[in-house]
Amino acid sequence: MVTATTPKSLRQWHSPSARPEVIHELIHGVDRYNPSNLPFMEEYLATQVKEGQYDLLAYLAILKLYQFNPQHSNPDVIINILIKALSATVAGPDFNLCLQMLREPSAILQDIESEDEALVVVFPYLQNLHELSRSCQFTKFWAEINSNSEAANALRTRYLPQHSAPLDSFRFVFSTSIASCFRRISLSQLGRWLDLPQDQVVEWCKKVEWQVEGADAVVPANGQNDVKAGVVKENVQLNQLTKLVAAAAY
């Protein structure tokens, strides 16, 4: 059972325990710049996508190899990396870190002499989803996901099916963001933010270990959503005000 009350640590995101030793050596050693290692890294990404795991440094290593060897760029790998980064965190830098290592989609396709326009269509769409997620516009996020646009259809039919429970991954990071701000929230509002019907909202609350009281979900205190009154005392000596008083008199 997962708990959406405290965010994952950066250590969990950047140094996952599930990372194989051989991949660890490729990422941190001089071989990270060897293009012959791309098939191993891309295979590792495929495993991550299928099993729902996450390894940001591995994804950045792949994109760095694409930077140095643009002729080896794989648009499907790029999109899957962006999806993984998008579903990993609301406020973290993961998506932007990946984005800054990429050129314009049209330039990438020109490098590999590809006529597949999926990257051109989906790339800006993912950027828009990231902005909606980052600004906590969750209702608009789901409206975009469920729309009939070309990009949304490509994402839903071509890419998301490759991932392990991708929509639940989005819901989990949204729940983590919600948990940092709320102690109590109505089930109807939560359903809109998580794109879930009423009966499934209750099940989701159980999944993330939130309590349900009547028509509300109750989020446990987690250090971010529990407001505590504080008293700040300052001990200022008169001689410390001498210069201030003198300046005012002058």
Side-chain angles (χ1 to χ4, degrees), residues 104-245:
E104 288 295 321
S106 57
I108 295 173
L109 294 181
Q110 185 176 0
D111 288 334
I112 61 176
E113 299 180 352
S114 172
E115 297 181 357
D116 187 352
E117 294 292 323
L119 183 65
V120 176
V121 172
V122 177
F123 191 93
Y125 176 72
L126 290 175
Q127 288 179 284
N128 182 46
L129 289 181
H130 172 254
E131 180 59 28
L132 293 175
S133 172
R134 186 193 63 80
S135 56
C136 295
Q137 300 183 65
F138 302 139
T139 304
K140 291 184 178 180
F141 178 95
W142 292 113
E144 285 292 332
I145 288 284
N146 297 323
S147 71
N148 291 321
S149 67
E150 181 182 2
N153 286 327
L155 186 70
R156 290 196 306 267
T157 60
R158 180 170 174 176
Y159 296 104
L160 290 186
Q162 301 177 40
H163 292 251
S164 174
L167 300 185
D168 279 354
S169 296
F170 292 130
R171 292 186 179 106
F172 181 77
V173 295
F174 293 172
S175 297
T176 303
S177 180
I178 293 167
S180 68
C181 304
F182 290 87
R183 288 298 306 275
R184 180 182 290 267
I185 182 173
S186 69
L187 294 177
S188 58
Q189 180 63 67
L190 187 60
R192 288 192 291 272
W193 282 348
L194 300 181
D195 193 38
L196 289 172
Q198 186 78 7
D199 57 331
Q200 293 184 28
V201 173
V202 175
E203 290 301 316
W204 181 262
C205 289
K206 294 178 181 178
K207 186 175 182 179
V208 296
E209 298 183 350
W210 293 356
Q211 300 297 318
V212 175
E213 294 182 359
D216 293 339
V218 179
V219 183
N222 55 45
Q224 294 181 312
N225 63 2
D226 50 337
V227 180
K228 297 179 181 179
V231 178
V232 179
K233 295 183 179 180
E234 294 186 9
N235 185 17
V236 181
Q237 301 296 326
L238 183 60
N239 58 2
Q240 293 177 278
L241 300 177
T242 303
K243 292 183 179 180
L244 179 61
V245 173

